[in-house]
Amino acid sequence: MSEKLKKTMKINIGPQHPSTHGVLRLVLELDGEVIKSTEPIVGYLHRGMEKMAENMTYFQYLPTVDRIDYLSSFFCAEAFVSSVEKALKIEVPQKAQYMRVMLMELNRIASHLLWLGTFMLDLGASSPFFYCFREREVILNLFEDLTGARMMYNFHTFGGVKKDFQAHFFEKLDKFMLDFPKKVDEYEAIITKNPVFLKRAYGIGVLNKKTALAYAITGPNLRASGVTLDFRKQSPYLIYDKVEFDVPNRKFGDSWSRYFVRVQEMKESLKIVKQCADWLQQNKNEDYNLGIRPVALKVPVGMYVSNVESPRGLLSCVLVADGSEKPVRVKWRTGSFYAVQVLPNLIQNHKMSDLMTIFGSLDVILPEVDR
């Protein structure tokens, strides 16, 4: 073969490619159809979410944190308010804890539904995309009823939540809890053993346990590689130690395993939602807010860390305070940032057609990466 024909070719995927789920640019080196190397380039979405905190009061910064992961805003808000509550040494009322957990688990289901629909679309299957958005719409309607918003909820506040559930909320929620298990069974009947899906995902993009731990991968991506770490079980926060649920996991770490773990997680989240709904309906008259006036809130000197198990893994908020109304430093740790780092390792020597299968299976969203 001549030297000219031995040369590899570099191509760009993104930053506006419809299957990169955000503004990610991948520079691929191809030898024919085989990917020899990948260089992820991020930064197109950078909004200075961490630096911005230094010029805002705690109260002003709170509504902005929803945007760090706009698909699971309740988790971002929980990470930030709990770091401040830890600094103030306050425990939020039990009713607020149940409300927060129920909303986060509904948010986890909504996030996994969007992931599943778009993942299937990446593989060329359009029907599951519409089915998943049908169920996600029900959850977003519940959130809209409660908070007035469909994405940026701004519902958590220091010392509790902003308002109680309205009377009709549980009627709609009960209907969703009755219908959703049947919908998940439908997804599995269509997808799980589908020969085309198995051909595209089974054994593709294997993330073994050793590599996953070396790259600090967390969440469903880690649990699909044989590690059962879940911070809701490992270090329970709020009322997670009072509800029963299992932690789905697989050992193989391929794209199919990551799909399987997330589908099972939706079932487990629904279990938690049911338990929270039962408790909340039996304890309607409990307080949901400590009544803290947050406008001139001052946080004692120190460094405070809070961890939340988000749909994309460990979400941490590190807060450094100097006793004033503004933080000195806020640092966020997000699951997607680490998933992007391990991507070149997973797709090396795979064919070009496997790229979107592997990337889609990791459930990366770019606002979490470009903070």
Side-chain angles (χ1 to χ4, degrees):
M1 183 182 292
S2 69
E3 286 301 316
K4 186 177 180 180
L5 291 177
K6 286 181 182 176
K7 286 183 179 177
T8 57
M9 176 176 66
K10 282 195 174 183
I11 66 167
N12 284 288
I13 302 291
Q16 306 293 347
H17 193 282
S19 292
T20 53
H21 302 192
V23 278
L24 173 66
R25 179 183 166 208
L26 297 173
V27 181
L28 305 180
E29 183 187 11
L30 296 176
D31 181 1
E33 291 185 50
V34 179
I35 300 169
K36 303 308 292 182
S37 69
T38 308
E39 183 185 2
I41 299 175
V42 299
Y44 296 95
L45 197 60
H46 189 68
R47 295 163 299 172
M49 289 296 298
E50 292 174 344
K51 190 66 181 172
M52 194 167 65
E54 298 168 20
N55 296 308
M56 304 173 85
T57 66
Y58 293 96
F59 180 61
Q60 289 172 328
Y61 187 56
L62 178 56
T64 71
V65 301
D66 284 355
R67 289 156 177 79
I68 290 171
D69 179 356
Y70 53 69
L71 296 183
S72 49
S73 299
F74 282 119
F75 295 89
C76 303
E78 173 59 29
F80 182 62
V81 297
S82 60
S83 65
V84 173
E85 287 161 355
K86 196 174 284 187
L88 298 175
K89 296 181 180 175
I90 58 173
E91 184 175 351
V92 298
Q94 200 169 27
K95 181 173 181 178
Q97 294 187 40
Y98 272 96
M99 291 175 74
R100 286 183 182 181
V101 168
M102 192 178 84
L103 292 170
M104 284 195 289
E105 294 307 321
L106 281 170
N107 203 174
R108 189 186 311 278
I109 295 172
S111 177
H112 281 359
L113 283 174
L114 190 141
W115 161 80
L116 180 57
T118 53
F119 181 44
M120 289 299 108
L121 202 60
D122 289 344
L123 302 184
S126 56
S127 295
F129 177 79
F130 295 109
Y131 298 154
C132 291
F133 269 60
R134 177 187 60 194
E135 275 69 73
R136 182 172 176 265
E137 187 71 11
V138 178
I139 299 176
L140 294 191
N141 285 340
L142 283 169
F143 290 164
E144 188 177 11
D145 274 359
L146 180 65
T147 69
R150 295 173 66 80
M151 286 186 81
M152 313 302 171
Y153 309 115
N154 192 21
F155 188 68
H156 285 55
T157 189
F158 306 116
V161 293
K162 288 191 174 173
K163 59 188 282 194
D164 202 353
F165 292 125
Q166 296 166 348
H168 62 277
F169 183 90
F170 287 107
E171 292 176 18
K172 294 180 180 178
L173 180 62
D174 288 344
K175 186 175 184 312
F176 172 77
M177 290 191 295
L178 190 65
D179 291 343
F180 189 62
K182 290 177 270 184
K183 305 298 183 186
V184 179
D185 289 343
E186 285 178 10
Y187 305 152
E188 290 210 86
I190 297 169
I191 303 168
T192 304
K193 294 182 181 178
N194 184 301
V196 177
F197 179 60
L198 288 173
K199 192 78 175 174
R200 295 291 305 271
Y202 198 81
I204 301 298
V206 174
L207 174 60
N208 63 50
K209 184 176 177 180
K210 184 179 177 183
T211 305
L213 292 172
Y215 277 83
I217 301 297
T218 54
N221 293 333
L222 179 65
R223 293 190 282 275
S225 298
V227 182
T228 56
L229 180 66
D230 185 321
F231 281 85
R232 294 173 296 176
K233 292 278 191 186
Q234 186 80 12
S235 306
Y237 49 94
L238 297 174
I239 49 85
Y240 275 113
D241 57 345
K242 296 177 181 173
V243 291
E244 294 181 1
F245 65 101
D246 296 321
V247 179
N249 67 92
R250 301 290 292 184
K251 291 182 179 176
F252 193 32
D254 61 347
S255 299
W256 187 89
S257 299
R258 290 187 280 277
Y259 151 81
F260 185 81
V261 166
R262 286 194 177 87
V263 170
Q264 303 312 310
E265 279 192 359
M266 288 196 281
K267 297 178 184 176
E268 297 303 317
S269 290
L270 193 68
K271 282 186 194 172
I272 299 172
V273 171
K274 284 180 179 174
Q275 293 170 66
C276 292
D278 289 344
W279 189 95
L280 288 165
Q281 291 184 86
Q282 292 167 11
N283 296 273
K284 291 180 181 174
N285 297 324
E286 297 277 329
D287 289 333
Y288 57 88
N289 195 319
L290 289 177
I292 295 174
R293 295 180 180 276
V295 177
L297 187 70
K298 293 182 179 178
V299 172
V301 178
M303 184 172 78
Y304 310 96
V305 183
S306 63
N307 298 315
V308 174
E309 182 70 40
S310 87
R312 271 157 283 280
L314 175 62
L315 175 69
S316 300
C317 178
V318 182
L319 169 66
V320 180
D322 62 356
S324 71
E325 297 170 356
K326 298 178 181 177
V328 175
R329 181 84 169 91
V330 174
K331 173 71 178 171
W332 291 88
R333 191 268 187 215
T334 57
S336 293
F337 186 77
Y338 296 85
V340 167
Q341 290 189 72
V342 82
L343 182 63
N345 189 307
L346 296 189
I347 60 180
Q348 189 174 25
N349 294 325
H350 277 285
K351 289 189 175 180
M352 182 68 185
S353 57
D354 295 328
L355 170 63
M356 290 312 166
T357 304
I358 298 168
F359 181 69
S361 72
L362 292 171
D363 191 19
V364 170
I365 71 157
L366 269 297
E368 269 204 344
V369 179
D370 294 344
R371 296 180 301 276

